[in-house]
Amino acid sequence: MNIKIIGVGKLKEKYLKQGIAEYAKRLDSFCKLQIVEVTDEKAPEKLSDAEMIEVKRKEGERILAKIKAKEYVYALAIQGKQRASEQFAAEFDQLTTYGHSDITFVIGGSLGLSPEVLQRSDDQLSFGKLTLPHQLMRLVLIEQIYRAFMINEGSPYHK
């Protein structure tokens, strides 16, 4: 199985890099993990609606360029479907059972994802209504992916 995480912007914080590296190492025995960073669009602090749309469009183009046609895509979005870890693990297991061996997760930049990326996604995943930094979401996501494998394996990790 191939899992790709596409994130907007470069990860700078050492503690996040270390956490992600730890879970990436743990995932080695379950899948081939690829983390792809696309450049975030430089923008001033205060943006008009039109400028926000343009920033998301440009970042969206960069994201879409990293997604192949055969990949099953989860877009992380506040308006997406919330799931319990067990439900996510079961869905994850079903995807592989039905021939989806290339699964991609997309985390947008600080403004979110463009409509084009949301349209390309096969599913939208929400981790709740809380606003979290998109860099922190990478760590949260990779831990949940690892947790899904542990649940499906019957491991006590999830308890």
Side-chain angles (χ1 to χ4, degrees), residues 36-63:
V36 177
E37 293 180 336
V38 299
T39 308
D40 55 341
E41 192 61 26
K42 301 298 174 227
E45 192 88 9
K46 297 210 190 275
L47 295 173
S48 69
D49 288 347
E51 288 170 322
M52 279 194 220
I53 290 168
E54 185 61 13
V55 166
K56 289 198 290 189
R57 186 192 66 74
K58 287 179 178 177
E59 290 176 349
E61 285 177 357
R62 293 180 192 129
I63 290 167

Side-chain angles (χ1 to χ4, degrees), residues 4-8 36 38 63 66-67 71 104-108:
K4 185 190 304 179
I5 298 173
I6 302 174
V8 173
V36 177
V38 299
I63 290 167
K66 303 293 183 186
I67 299 173
E71 294 172 11
T104 297
F105 294 88
V106 180
I107 303 169

Side-chain angles (χ1 to χ4, degrees), residues 82-99:
Q82 293 183 46
R83 299 154 168 90
S85 294
E86 297 86 354
Q87 183 183 5
F88 176 62
E91 287 178 19
F92 209 64
D93 197 41
Q94 288 285 5
L95 284 174
T96 56
T97 301
Y98 291 102

Side-chain angles (χ1 to χ4, degrees), residues 90-152:
E91 287 178 19
F92 209 64
D93 197 41
Q94 288 285 5
L95 284 174
T96 56
T97 301
Y98 291 102
H100 293 287
S101 58
D102 296 296
I103 301 171
T104 297
F105 294 88
V106 180
I107 303 169
S110 58
L111 299 176
L113 293 167
S114 70
E116 294 80 9
V117 173
L118 293 172
Q119 275 183 321
R120 168 57 185 91
S121 70
D122 296 289
D123 202 346
Q124 293 179 23
L125 180 61
S126 173
F127 284 84
K129 302 286 183 204
L130 295 171
T131 301
L132 297 171
H134 55 282
Q135 282 91 354
L136 179 58
M137 274 313 304
R138 292 186 202 181
L139 178 57
V140 172
L141 173 63
I142 198 168
E143 190 281 335
Q144 285 298 304
I145 292 169
Y146 176 72
R147 183 175 296 273
F149 280 110
M150 293 290 93
I151 290 168
N152 290 336

